[in-house]
Amino acid sequence: MNLANCPNCGRLFVKTSFRDICEDCYKEEEEAFEKVYHFLRKRENRMATMAQIVDATGVKESLLIKFIQSGRLKLAQFPNLTYPCARCGTLIRKGKLCENCLKDLNQQLEELQKDEERKKRRQAESIYYTKRNDENKF
């Protein structure tokens, strides 16, 4: 357990693997989750988009995304609920990155690995060895 400042209000609290905010902010988040959950439980609201949920409940979009990414809101039950890709902003339904960003990052990683391999080969090729001369013993 570590002492940390709450990212929401700045208060000092004991940070655990279960909670990344202070007790007061946690209670506020729980109240916000209850609002969202009760809103989405109604059959007519299950097709709501992120913007509609924000307008109806007053809960911030960033908090809704946190609920989704932590698994508290299951997108399988809400077909119109999406959130933006962390890199480009494209609307997605799972993970943090869209398919295009994942492909791009994987290509960049492959290129980086190839460059590292080339550097290692060049270093291995440029090493010179000398034959030991028993007479001089250097």
Side-chain angles (χ1 to χ4, degrees):
M1 292 188 278
N2 298 323
L3 285 178
N5 287 349
C6 177
N8 295 345
C9 66
R11 288 189 190 129
L12 195 62
F13 74 106
V14 177
K15 185 175 184 176
T16 66
S17 58
F18 302 108
R19 194 169 297 159
D20 60 349
I21 55 175
C22 72
E23 184 68 26
D24 293 338
C25 291
Y26 177 75
K27 288 177 184 176
E28 288 177 18
E29 271 192 15
E30 286 303 304
E31 290 172 9
F33 179 77
E34 288 299 319
K35 279 183 191 176
V36 171
Y37 182 72
H38 288 295
F39 175 78
L40 289 173
R41 282 193 68 190
K42 295 178 183 174
R43 180 168 286 173
E44 64 269 13
N45 295 334
R46 291 187 183 163
M47 301 297 280
T49 63
M50 182 76 71
Q52 291 169 334
I53 296 170
V54 169
D55 290 340
T57 62
V59 175
K60 294 179 184 176
E61 185 174 329
S62 59
L63 195 51
L64 285 172
I65 292 169
K66 182 178 179 179
F67 294 151
I68 293 168
Q69 290 179 335
S70 66
R72 295 186 76 187
L73 289 178
K74 306 289 185 201
L75 293 184
Q77 300 168 353
F78 312 110
N80 292 335
L81 193 56
T82 57
Y83 55 95
C85 168
R87 186 170 179 223
C88 70
T90 301
L91 295 177
I92 57 175
R93 292 185 50 81
K94 64 179 181 175
K96 291 188 177 194
L97 300 173
C98 66
E99 291 294 322
N100 290 335
C101 290
L102 281 173
K103 286 179 187 176
D104 185 44
L105 285 175
N106 284 331
Q107 287 174 349
Q108 289 179 18
L109 282 172
E110 287 174 11
E111 287 296 319
L112 184 64
Q113 287 174 343
K114 287 178 185 176
D115 286 346
E116 291 295 322
E117 288 173 11
R118 282 188 215 122
K119 286 179 184 177
K120 286 180 183 178
R121 275 191 250 125
R122 284 185 198 146
Q123 286 176 347
E125 291 172 356
S126 64
I127 296 175
Y128 296 101
Y129 297 97
T130 59
K131 185 176 178 184
R132 182 174 178 192
N133 188 342
D134 286 336
E135 291 175 16
N136 295 334
K137 293 186 180 182
F138 53 92

